[in-house]
Structure formats: structure tokens, C-alpha cells
Amino acid sequence: MAFTRANAPLTCLICGSDEEATSEHIVPQTLWLRFGLDPNHKDLERYRTTLCRRHNEATGKLHRRTEVIELIENGGPFTKKSLGLLADWAVWVTVLLGLSTGEGVLPGDEARSLLRARFDEHGGGLPRGIRVYAARVSEYVRDTTFTSYMVAVEKDRRTVLDYRGTPIGFLGIAGPVTVTESIGLGKIALLVLSRTYPSGVGHNDRLDAAATTVGMERIHPPAATLPILAPRAIDMTALSEVFMPVPDGQDWSLLPDGVKFTLSMFTPADG
């Protein structure tokens, strides 16, 4: 039977069912306990959501990967396999978290569609074009100087398309001021960037170069060689704002030409 909070029925975040509703820890209880924190503390409520029992069991498999838990807690060692598992964990945890809080990059229906494809019986891989970056953290710091790069993310309703599906502008509408999902836990910081509209030759390489400016290295799609992932100081504000939607960033170089042109009509280009 579904439980209630403040006398309101709770339904599964993924499928909407109100039968066998359970409380799901989006970030696994194991990690909070290892960090000396109470997983059920009110301060961690944003990391909990409601799932039906079937989807709770399906998503719970993400948290039973010992390689991922060890990486997050201790920062290594890592292999191609463990980094692949970490990337998979990062994507689905941040999609769940963004949908649960209402602060995600993807619209709710798009996020639910991806989650159903992944956690229903037929399964599903990582979304096409997604990029995942990671860093091993020596310490968390604040007030780092960094550059914000504007990008146009597919499925973001702020991006205006022409009849061919080519980005030609942007809308200043309400919504989360972000185009990425980021999370820092223990010895690992993660940044998930959805598929972006191209800005010209070498677009993906330039995305990766921008991520390195805040200490991140790409782990998905995997490169031919393993990243170095040397421990380093990470500023989570810089991490969450290195990629931004129009017009909230500073550097224009990663925007499609049509969006750059529209932006230039409102402010002098400096990127």
C-alpha cells in the first residue's frame, strides 16, 4: 500500500504508480553511512524520492556495484570497466535527482522516457551523445576563477530551431539555469553534459577542453587510453557552471552559428 507524506499520496517518479510506493535513496545509503551521515536525515531529503517497488529494485542495482562505491569512497584504483560503470551510475543518478527535484536539464517527460527505457525490463543504454566527465578529488575548494562556456543542449526548450531543426536563437524563459548535472561525493566529482548542438569543426574536442579548465577529464565516451585522473582540488560551483545556457555564460565559442548571431543582436560578442 502506498505511504503518504503530509496526507498526500506518493507516486512512483518513473511510472506514476501509487501501488507499493517505497522511499528510494538516489544516492545509496551505503555511501552516506561510510561518510558518517544518517541517510534519513532531513538535510539529505533532496537525495530521496518515491519509486514503486519494481523500479526501486531496478535502480537499486546501480548501487550494488562495488567498483563504483570504492571509486567514490577512496578515489581508486580505476580501470576501463570501473570508469564505464561510474559513467553509467553518474548519468542515471543525476537524471533521477534532476527529475525528483525539478531542477534537471531535461524536461520531465523526456527524463521519464529515458528512465523507463533504462529500468524497465527491456533495458536501455546511455543516451546518445551524452558526455560524462570525472575528477579524483584531493579537496573541495571555493571561489575558483573560471570561464563559463555557453552551449545549446538538445531537448532544452530554451533553444529555438528553424524548420530544419537547426538552432537559430534562444528564449529567455523560466527554468533551471543549467545545462549540466554535477555531483561531488567523497573522492569523486562528476559532470554530465547532455548532447549539444555543434558549433563547428572540433566541437566535441573543444567541449572536452572546456571541461579540463575546471579539472575534469572525459570518461564517457571512453577514449583509447585511460584518463590520468590525478587527485586535484575541485570547486563544485565552477564545475556546475563551466557549461551554461544562453545568455548566462561568458564564452560564445561552443554555440551554433545561428545562436551566436541572435545573441550578437543583444550584446557585443566577446567569445
Side-chain angles (χ1 to χ4, degrees), residues 8 20 31 34 49 51 56-57 67 107 111 121 169 175 198 205 214 223 227:
E20 293 191 287
L31 282 175
R34 292 188 183 187
T49 191
L51 296 179
N56 193 324
E57 292 175 354
E67 302 100 320
E121 292 183 3
D205 290 338
V214 292

Side-chain angles (χ1 to χ4, degrees), residues 33-81:
L33 291 170
R34 292 188 183 187
F35 300 151
L37 300 172
D38 177 3
N40 296 307
H41 194 280
K42 65 179 181 179
D43 290 346
L44 299 178
E45 187 170 3
R46 78 184 302 269
Y47 297 105
R48 298 190 295 271
T49 191
T50 302
L51 296 179
C52 65
R53 189 166 303 281
R54 178 169 65 89
H55 282 123
N56 193 324
E57 292 175 354
T59 59
K61 293 177 182 178
L62 288 175
H63 307 324
R64 291 195 287 272
R65 297 168 170 175
T66 56
E67 302 100 320
V68 172
I69 300 301
E70 288 296 320
L71 261 178
I72 293 172
E73 184 180 13
N74 301 314
F78 59 88
T79 63
K80 181 177 181 180
K81 177 185 176 183

Side-chain angles (χ1 to χ4, degrees), residues 212-243:
T212 65
T213 65
V214 292
M216 306 302 287
E217 298 178 70
R218 193 185 84 230
I219 62 172
H220 180 84
T225 58
L226 285 176
I228 297 173
L229 295 183
R232 63 184 66 210
I234 294 293
D235 181 343
M236 289 304 298
T237 298
L239 186 60
S240 64
E241 297 179 7
V242 65
F243 296 114

Side-chain angles (χ1 to χ4, degrees), residues 9-29:
L10 298 180
T11 59
C12 177
L13 184 70
I14 296 177
C15 68
S17 172
D18 62 358
E19 296 183 3
E20 293 191 287
T22 65
S23 180
E24 160 69 352
H25 293 262
I26 299 173
V27 172
Q29 298 181 68

Side-chain angles (χ1 to χ4, degrees), residues 117-128:
R118 172 63 175 82
F119 294 111
D120 284 342
E121 292 183 3
H122 58 278
L126 292 182
R128 183 173 63 94

Side-chain angles (χ1 to χ4, degrees), residues 73-139:
E73 184 180 13
N74 301 314
F78 59 88
T79 63
K80 181 177 181 180
K81 177 185 176 183
S82 65
L83 290 182
L85 292 174
L86 179 65
D88 185 70
W89 185 89
V91 170
W92 300 117
V93 164
T94 54
V95 171
L96 275 167
L97 184 60
L99 180 59
S100 177
T101 61
E103 299 173 355
V105 176
L106 297 174
D109 55 350
E110 178 73 15
R112 284 190 179 88
S113 177
L114 289 173
L115 290 167
R116 286 195 297 268
R118 172 63 175 82
F119 294 111
D120 284 342
E121 292 183 3
H122 58 278
L126 292 182
R128 183 173 63 94
I130 204 163
R131 303 181 87 75
V132 183
Y133 302 95
R136 288 202 290 173
V137 182
S138 60
E139 63 176 327

